[in-house]
Amino acid sequence: QSTITSEFSDGRSVAKLVEQAKSDPTVLDAVPVINVFKLDDGRLFALDNRRLFVFKQAHKGKQQVKVRVVLHDSSDPDRVAEFHCKHTTAKPQDIRFKDGQPTGQPRQGANGKWFVYSKSQRRKYFSELTDKALRELKQKFPEHADQHQSLWEKEQEKAEDKKKECEEREQREREREQREREQREQLEREQQERKQREQRER
């Protein structure tokens, strides 16, 4: 199975569970066991790639990790059918989300902002990328480098326009406050002059 959906059947986010597991590995204790199918030649294939993906990303860099599994073989016709339905030659590190796009492919979120999934399946918004982060992203996903550069430049332009708009708004606010201050000062002077006239008239 070379693709996975971004959520488990209960609605939990795969990427969010990975992040939680990195800071607190005990959350993986609640992950159901991984069903594994054993071929007659001894090769093993996971039937639950979302769970496999979570463990793979949460323990990235470690040589060996203990994972609870349930082993099935050709004596179980239902699992045989499931294996043939899901089986591909994909390796765990090649698993992609099921929207049909590879990990480095830019996506547009519900908020309208463009992002990519990093190899650890964290969202990286182009509007938040530094020059260095962009270079690293382009190096990791060279096949999307041009698109990454284009989207980053557009986000930078938006950010610059927003900054300019904020500066103009702040300038208008300062000018408004200046006018109000001058009006108050003028009013105070007029009141002071009126009092002085009244005193002289007495």
Side-chain angles (χ1 to χ4, degrees), residues 1-8 14-15 17-18 31-37 44-57 79 82-83 85-98 121:
Q1 187 178 1
S2 59
T3 60
I4 58 173
T5 57
S6 59
E7 295 180 344
F8 289 99
V14 174
L17 182 58
V18 170
V31 176
V33 296
I34 297 176
N35 291 291
V36 174
F37 187 80
L44 302 175
F45 290 87
L47 299 178
D48 302 302
N49 268 5
R50 282 175 297 194
R51 302 173 198 173
L52 176 63
F53 179 86
V54 168
F55 278 94
K56 180 74 175 180
Q57 295 298 323
R79 294 299 181 180
E82 183 179 0
F83 168 74
C85 178
K86 294 182 175 181
H87 172 58
T88 69
T89 58
K91 298 178 181 179
Q93 61 268 29
D94 297 327
I95 296 173
R96 301 178 302 175
F97 282 115
K98 205 171 183 178
Q121 295 309 314

Side-chain angles (χ1 to χ4, degrees), residues 6-7 99 106-117 123 125 155 158:
S6 59
E7 295 180 344
D99 59 5
R107 296 164 167 82
Q108 190 171 26
N111 57 4
K113 293 185 178 180
W114 286 90
F115 69 92
V116 293
Y117 283 114
R123 287 190 176 190
Y125 286 94
E155 290 297 336
K158 289 181 181 179

Side-chain angles (χ1 to χ4, degrees), residues 157-172:
E157 290 178 3
K158 289 181 181 179
E160 189 63 31
D161 289 343
K162 186 175 182 180
K163 179 181 179 182
K164 184 178 180 181
E165 181 182 342
C166 290
E167 290 175 348
E168 290 176 349
R169 184 169 59 249
E170 290 176 354
Q171 178 62 28
R172 290 195 298 270

Side-chain angles (χ1 to χ4, degrees), residues 6 10 28 110 153:
S6 59
D10 61 2
L28 295 176
E153 290 175 355

Side-chain angles (χ1 to χ4, degrees), residues 36-45 71-73:
V36 174
F37 187 80
K38 183 178 181 180
L39 296 181
D40 293 338
D41 61 8
R43 287 183 296 166
L44 302 175
F45 290 87
L71 196 61
H72 306 275
D73 56 29

